[in-house]
Amino acid sequence: MKQYPAEPYRIKVVETPNMLNREERFEAIRAAGYNTFLLKSQDCYIDLLTDSGTNAMSDRQWAGMMTGDEAYAGSRNWEHLEAIIKEYFGFQYVVPTHQGRGAENILSKLLIQPGTYVPGNMYFTTTRYHQEANGATFRDIVVDEAHDPEIDLPFKGNIDLDKLQSLVDEAGADKIPYVCLAVTVNLAGGQPVAMANMRAVRALCDKHGLKIFYDATRCIENAYFIKMREEGYADKSVREIVREMFSYADGATMSGKKDGLVNMGGFLAVNDEGLYQRAREMVVVFEGMPSYGGMSGRDMEAFAIGIRESCQFEYIQHRVEQVAYLGDKLIAAGVPVVKPIGGHAVFLDARQFLPHLTQDKLPAQSLAAHLYMESGVRSMERGIVSAGRDKVTGANHSPKLETVRLTIPRRVYTYAHMDIAADAVIKLYENKESIRGLRFVYEPPMLRFFNARFEYYD
């Protein structure tokens, strides 16, 4: 029997959640238009909507927050955070932002011109929006296996080098402002990228004069998978692996709300001084001063400490294995999930879970709503609703992966909470035929999954 590591922490402060009864949950999700994003936090018993900004901070982080320097310019907490980012990631220049999408916005505005292409290992919602809003077309160059939930590969987030080369041949290197490499790949199920693949992508990009920017949001989880799965890295520290990963990039955007172990924060890091100076100018317009970028001094201090803590092996081992614990329970019960289990979430395969619902009836959206109704567990749709519409034709993007994401916040829940979530999913699977499809009654023009409302098909 597989052994899972115990929590590498002791609980010092507790929060008591509400536990609504079944009728109250039915009314709550109906009032939210069957969109779990529109539920009130107080109405969710186990909240697996996201791991973004939902982390529990350590005593050292809370202590560090008391040293917050809230100066408008020249905060000493920024000096600390900047030094930590340079030390752990190896970049020469850093610009702070309020979160990852702030960094994506600045990078996209600086580098993208209309009519260009940004290749990446599977899209992410806000990332693609910023790229397309600035005139680029996203091109998916992830390996084909990433789109198949049944295939179990150790590095399912890898870039397909032939796909990247084909885009260069088709469009020309001058039409590719940069390659976007995500570590890990969220919508593929939290799948990692191998170090060997990063080196190979770097070599191909050097051949054609292309820049590489990483989406570093869950890079510590990626480093853990490299340590556990890739030959030659078992004896390397997580910190050493992280440093090597980013040595193959020209820059990175990061949301500190994930592997930074904080509730708010992010950055754009680069090696090009000219790009850095332009980013410093733009951060004033969109984020704040270059010495806080939308973060308070106390947030920057907690972020700096969180980066150090996230690279501790005991922490990251428990974090990834707790996710695996939930996934393994579901697999043992025959529940269809994306394999292998990723670093931050378990993704239910809604196509296989609800084979009686075609994709136009929004099976993942309906499954997420029913999971909440039956258990008080909040999750997130990651399928046709999240994929949105083609910016030219207006037709729905129809991704091969139609999933519900059960996302585990860091240092928040115990294995007992995972048992409750697993039991709820298993019970729902046993009664899946009763789940009906949904349709839009309100559809926002962009990033529709955040605010859309739905109703049942008759």
Side-chain angles (χ1 to χ4, degrees), residues 350-371:
R351 287 182 186 270
Q352 296 299 317
F353 201 113
L354 303 174
H356 60 287
L357 296 182
T358 55
Q359 195 172 26
D360 63 302
K361 293 187 177 179
L362 317 181
Q365 189 70 45
S366 185
L367 179 54
H370 278 80
L371 179 59

Side-chain angles (χ1 to χ4, degrees), residues 311-330:
C311 287
Q312 295 170 356
F313 179 77
E314 292 77 14
Y315 155 74
I316 192 61
Q317 179 192 37
H318 171 265
R319 191 282 184 283
V320 173
E321 293 302 320
Q322 186 184 50
V323 176
Y325 175 83
L326 174 58
D328 291 345
K329 288 203 71 169
L330 296 178

